[in-house]
Amino acid sequence: MLASCQQHSYPVDHEQLSEEERIVIRFSHVVGEDTPKGLASRKFAELVKERTDGYVEVQVFPNSFLYKDGEEISALLDGDVQMIAPSTSKITTVIPEWQIIDLPFAFETKEEVREYVEGPVGEVLKNKLKAEGIYPLAFWYNGFKQMTNNREPLKHPDDFQDLRFRIMSSEVLYEQFDLLGAEARVETFDQVFPVLNNEELNAQENTFSNIVNKNIHTVQDYMTVSNHGYLGYLVLMNGEFWQNLPDEVQIVILDALDEVTEWVKELAEEVNEDAYQELMDCRCIEIHELTDEEKQLWEDAFLPLYTSFEQRYGELYINHLPKFKMDH
Ligand code: LMR
């Protein structure tokens, strides 16, 4: 249908068609609309609508409105939604090897993360998703994570002792804190503010953008700018749904995603810079920027995580990390 419409320069007003006659893609995510992912998913929906003249409609459901973390992936597999864009840390419940991205200080820049994800090891990781019926379409940026807590400034690895961190569902993240004598508990993103607010937990890690978006800074007293781990997203589609899309629609989707991915690359940086500025301006959270010496101590403390990852999942993933690649 799309092909014929393209040939005839879209004579039909597709918005008049019913949902059964159009292609509707339900896209669920857990963050607010003004975050990098919120903005990227909306732009993607606009581009697709524009380029198919309304024949393909991407309906975006932000803020865990439809599904929370944990529920999202089953909803995708069950076909209740057709697209999601979880952080790589959350995909690890299906393919644990994706935890490689969570290894602290594995990447220095967002380009390094993207190169890894788009490179040969990323291909192996993506094929594992395809084998589970999940089609990976793109990698979207957010930013580097920072540590917050409400006890003391975190400078030295010993400072983490007995803090209680909220984490995303990834064993590497659990071990990251366990190694430093802190507790870690998996909580869905919508629960971060409540559990910090009622002091069940007293610490967490996230990007500037997510900290501001969820008002985390209003319930945490200290933030260390550590840039220790990257938070990025895999844009995923239900594999069967993808296979059944007409070729023309697949092409429109891939082109639109390419454009949005480049767009969100710069935008994510701006959104995070603005959020950092807001955190500095609010004077409501004490900010410490990790020094090079402190960073070295953290890196040393986290080294056992690399060994345990390698033992569990093999050296392939580790050897291709930019920090080790240079030695080969
Ligand atoms: C989190 O749970 O902290 C983040 O993954 C939320 C998000 O999607 O950015």
Side-chain angles (χ1 to χ4, degrees):
M1 172 156 198
L2 180 72
S4 70
C5 294
Q6 273 173 337
Q7 279 158 18
H8 302 293
S9 61
Y10 301 109
V12 181
D13 179 0
H14 294 112
E15 288 188 59
Q16 301 303 317
L17 299 176
S18 70
E19 287 213 356
E20 289 72 40
E21 292 165 308
R22 285 180 286 137
I23 293 178
V24 175
I25 300 175
R26 283 149 60 90
F27 185 164
S28 164
H29 69 79
V30 300
V31 292
E33 299 210 313
D34 294 333
T35 58
K37 181 163 57 185
L39 293 163
S41 49
R42 263 167 46 203
K43 185 167 177 82
F44 169 65
E46 277 161 27
L47 289 180
V48 170
K49 182 176 175 188
E50 207 175 279
R51 291 174 186 178
T52 62
D53 203 21
Y55 175 53
V56 181
E57 186 191 356
V58 180
Q59 299 176 345
V60 182
F61 299 93
N63 265 321
S64 314
F65 177 74
L66 280 189
Y67 298 102
K68 298 178 190 171
D69 300 335
E71 300 168 351
E72 268 192 342
I73 294 182
S74 349
L76 183 79
L77 287 169
D78 294 345
D80 294 333
V81 290
Q82 289 71 42
M83 275 181 92
I84 57 174
S87 59
T88 54
S89 318
K90 292 175 189 168
I91 292 164
T92 64
T93 51
V94 186
I95 308 292
E97 288 86 345
W98 273 101
Q99 293 178 68
I100 188 81
I101 311 289
D102 290 330
L103 284 173
F105 301 109
F107 303 96
E108 294 274 334
T109 63
K110 62 178 187 294
E111 284 80 14
E112 284 186 356
V113 187
R114 170 105 179 261
E115 274 166 31
Y116 188 87
V117 171
E118 304 296 356
V121 176
E123 214 44 50
V124 173
L125 290 167
K126 286 185 212 166
N127 284 337
K128 286 181 182 290
L129 281 170
K130 288 182 194 163
E132 295 297 324
I134 299 175
Y135 196 83
L137 289 166
F139 173 77
W140 281 354
Y141 303 87
N142 185 323
F144 281 94
K145 291 179 290 181
Q146 323 300 345
M147 301 280 191
T148 70
N149 82 102
N150 64 5
R151 191 180 68 193
E152 62 182 316
L154 300 178
K155 297 180 180 174
H156 191 274
D158 293 345
D159 299 335
F160 285 76
Q161 195 72 39
D162 297 329
L163 279 171
R164 302 186 311 280
F165 277 84
R166 174 270 170 171
I167 51 164
M168 296 180 275
S169 53
S170 152
E171 277 169 35
V172 164
L173 297 181
Y174 179 86
E175 285 170 23
Q176 167 183 276
F177 292 114
D178 189 51
L179 204 60
L180 304 185
E183 284 173 37
R185 197 167 94 191
V186 176
E187 288 289 347
T188 56
F189 188 56
D190 63 307
Q191 287 304 305
V192 180
F193 182 85
V195 297
L196 293 173
N197 190 36
N198 69 21
E199 298 186 357
E200 254 176 78
L201 301 179
N202 57 7
Q204 67 86 48
E205 52 166 15
N206 228 313
T207 60
F208 295 127
S209 145
N210 278 344
I211 290 171
V212 169
N213 187 251
K214 280 286 170 200
N215 283 317
I216 293 170
H217 55 303
T218 63
V219 287
Q220 296 277 269
D221 295 330
Y222 303 95
M223 176 171 74
T224 297
V225 179
S226 49
N227 295 316
H228 60 282
Y230 196 79
L231 190 136
Y233 307 111
L234 284 176
V235 182
L236 305 173
M237 192 174 267
N238 175 295
E240 206 182 319
F241 183 83
W242 172 252
Q243 294 304 335
N244 289 328
L245 285 176
D247 290 354
E248 301 84 355
V249 174
Q250 289 188 347
I251 291 169
V252 171
I253 287 176
L254 290 176
D255 282 353
L257 281 172
D258 273 353
E259 198 173 317
V260 173
T261 301
E262 282 316 302
W263 179 78
V264 76
K265 184 175 169 188
E266 305 312 321
L267 182 88
E269 196 135 322
E270 277 167 38
V271 170
N272 275 293
E273 272 165 21
D274 289 353
Y276 187 23
Q277 191 59 49
E278 199 173 327
L279 292 169
M280 289 191 278
D281 292 346
C282 79
R283 301 190 178 282
C284 54
I285 185 161
E286 193 180 308
I287 300 174
H288 172 68
E289 293 194 5
L290 206 64
T291 65
D292 289 344
E293 293 74 33
E294 289 161 353
K295 181 179 166 208
Q296 192 56 55
L297 292 177
W298 288 34
E299 286 203 50
D300 294 346
F302 289 135
L303 270 183
L305 292 174
Y306 285 75
T307 319
S308 92
F309 189 96
E310 187 170 331
Q311 279 165 355
R312 227 178 288 175
Y313 304 113
E315 58 177 22
L316 169 80
Y317 304 102
I318 300 279
N319 284 351
H320 278 76
L321 287 174
K323 64 196 280 179
F324 298 124
K325 237 170 116 177
M326 278 183 257
D327 303 338
H328 283 66

